[in-house]
């Protein structure tokens, strides 16, 4: 009679998702539409013990940040899979919004975290145009259609409207952080003025949970034989060779500006 080999359970599986880059709807950006299939696979294949987000993002679109984070939370709850986040260089602004989708957030000693705020940026070109004899001609139907036109002098009423537009976006961001971090946030700390914290200071303020790196932390939590399965976005042929054209080139310039704000 043949000896029966007892069933040996497989080591725990952790799906690893890298969220790298600016957040938006451009070809090179992190967007809910682009990430949806990847997130679905990561939470569903192989019955993962956890999902690990590796985040390196200076932020971007508040709407896309909200949509992506909400999708991660829905999948975590539906599949009953905990989520851990590991911040590399930076999780700022929308990048931190994504991090709050995790149950636990881990950082490097030198990670940049925070920037819980909203920004509106433009240029004032009207004096340059005047010096060069360029006349701006604009005709609109609707008094707000030329709102904050960079080719016209800045108007106090436009500045007031911009602040009214930014305020609810900031409030939404604050509500997300409070809902996800709760009592872990340091009481009475001024956390929502768009400051940046480095590594351990973000832990001290309750924005993150500790200093840790992906592999050793996952081994600590799930054992030395834990299987880390990476999931990444599919890129087009031109992007694989670092080639950009048209609007993709402009998106690259805008993304570069986002990174540069944090010296990266």
């Amino acid at each position: 009679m043949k000896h029966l080999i007892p069933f040996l359970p497989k080591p725990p599986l952790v799906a690893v998702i890298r969220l790298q880059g600016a957040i938006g709807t451009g070809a090179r950006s992190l967007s809910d539409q682009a990430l949806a299939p990847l997130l679905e696979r990561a939470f569903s294949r192989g019955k993962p013990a956890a999902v690990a987000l590796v985040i390196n993002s200076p932020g971007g679109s508040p709407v896309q940040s909200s949509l992506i984070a909400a999708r991660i939370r829905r999948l975590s709850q539906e599949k009953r899979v905990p989520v851990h986040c590991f911040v590399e260089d930076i999780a700022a602004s929308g990048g931190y919004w994504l991090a709050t989708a995790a149950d636990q957030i881990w950082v490097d000693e030198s990670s940049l975290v925070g920037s819980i705020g909203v920004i509106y940026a433009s240029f004032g070109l009207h004096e340059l145009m005047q010096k060069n004899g360029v006349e701006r001609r604009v005709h609109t139907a609707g008094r707000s259609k030329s709102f904050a036109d960079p080719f016209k002098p800045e108007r106090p009423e436009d500045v007031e409207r911009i602040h009214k537009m930014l305020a609810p976006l900031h409030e939404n961001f604050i509500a997300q952080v409070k809902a996800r971090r709760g009592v872990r946030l340091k009481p009475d700390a001024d956390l929502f003025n768009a400051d940046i914290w480095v590594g351990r200071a973000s832990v001290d303020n309750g924005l993150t949970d500790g200093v840790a790196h992906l592999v050793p932390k996952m081994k600590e939590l799930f054992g030395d034989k834990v299987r880390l399965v990476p999931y990444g976005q599919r890129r087009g042929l031109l992007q694989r060779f670092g080639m950009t054209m048209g609007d993709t080139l402009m998106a690259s310039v805008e993304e570069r500006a986002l990174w540069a704000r944090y010296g990266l």
Side-chain angles (χ1 to χ4, degrees), residues 52-89:
L53 308 174
V54 180
I55 292 182
N56 203 6
S57 173
S61 163
V63 173
Q64 293 302 315
S65 301
S66 176
L67 291 173
I68 296 167
R71 183 180 296 277
I72 292 170
R73 290 312 313 149
R74 285 198 304 272
L75 289 168
S76 175
Q77 292 164 5
E78 290 171 5
K79 306 296 183 180
R80 298 182 181 180
V81 175
V83 180
H84 292 264
C85 167
F86 293 87
V87 179
E88 293 190 332
D89 296 274

Side-chain angles (χ1 to χ4, degrees), residues 9-27:
K10 292 182 179 180
L13 180 152
V14 174
V16 180
I17 306 171
R18 173 168 288 277
L19 301 178
Q20 167 94 21
I23 303 165
T25 55

Side-chain angles (χ1 to χ4, degrees), residues 156-172:
E157 56 267 35
D158 284 351
V159 175
E160 182 180 356
R161 290 179 62 195
I162 289 171
H163 283 286
K164 286 183 179 179
M165 180 177 65
L166 296 180
L169 298 177
H170 193 201
E171 290 168 4
N172 293 340

Side-chain angles (χ1 to χ4, degrees), residues 55-244:
I55 292 182
N56 203 6
S57 173
S61 163
V63 173
Q64 293 302 315
S65 301
S66 176
L67 291 173
I68 296 167
R71 183 180 296 277
I72 292 170
R73 290 312 313 149
R74 285 198 304 272
L75 289 168
S76 175
Q77 292 164 5
E78 290 171 5
K79 306 296 183 180
R80 298 182 181 180
V81 175
V83 180
H84 292 264
C85 167
F86 293 87
V87 179
E88 293 190 332
D89 296 274
I90 187 168
S93 195
Y96 182 66
W97 193 316
L98 297 186
T100 63
D103 300 294
Q104 300 284 324
I105 305 174
W106 311 99
V107 295
D108 181 82
E109 290 279 9
S110 299
S111 297
L112 302 180
V113 175
S115 190
I116 303 171
V118 185
I119 187 172
Y120 174 92
S122 184
F123 296 94
L125 302 175
H126 62 284
E127 291 185 0
L128 178 64
M129 294 172 61
Q130 290 174 356
K131 289 179 181 179
N132 289 275
V134 179
E135 181 185 358
R136 171 78 161 160
R137 295 175 180 173
V138 180
H139 306 280
T140 68
R143 64 183 177 84
S144 297
K145 199 61 179 176
S146 61
F147 161 69
D149 190 329
F151 298 101
K152 293 181 177 180
E154 189 171 62
R155 301 184 304 172
E157 56 267 35
D158 284 351
V159 175
E160 182 180 356
R161 290 179 62 195
I162 289 171
H163 283 286
K164 286 183 179 179
M165 180 177 65
L166 296 180
L169 298 177
H170 193 201
E171 290 168 4
N172 293 340
F173 197 170
I174 293 171
Q176 168 73 11
V177 175
K178 287 183 174 180
R180 293 297 303 150
R181 301 300 300 172
V183 296
R184 288 177 284 187
L185 296 174
K186 185 178 179 180
D188 302 321
D190 188 6
L191 302 177
F192 307 121
N193 62 4
D195 276 344
I196 287 284
W197 287 270
V198 179
R200 201 167 293 277
S202 70
V203 180
D204 295 339
N205 281 292
L207 295 173
T208 61
D209 297 287
V211 175
H213 294 166
L214 172 65
V215 174
K217 176 53 72 171
M218 292 297 93
K219 285 186 175 182
E220 175 189 332
L221 294 176
F222 300 105
D224 288 339
K225 294 185 179 180
V226 63
R227 294 177 294 150
L228 302 179
V229 180
Y231 288 82
Q233 286 184 272
R234 293 186 176 92
R235 296 186 299 166
L237 183 62
L238 291 177
Q239 289 180 313
R240 293 179 193 176
F241 290 96
M243 299 170 65
T244 57

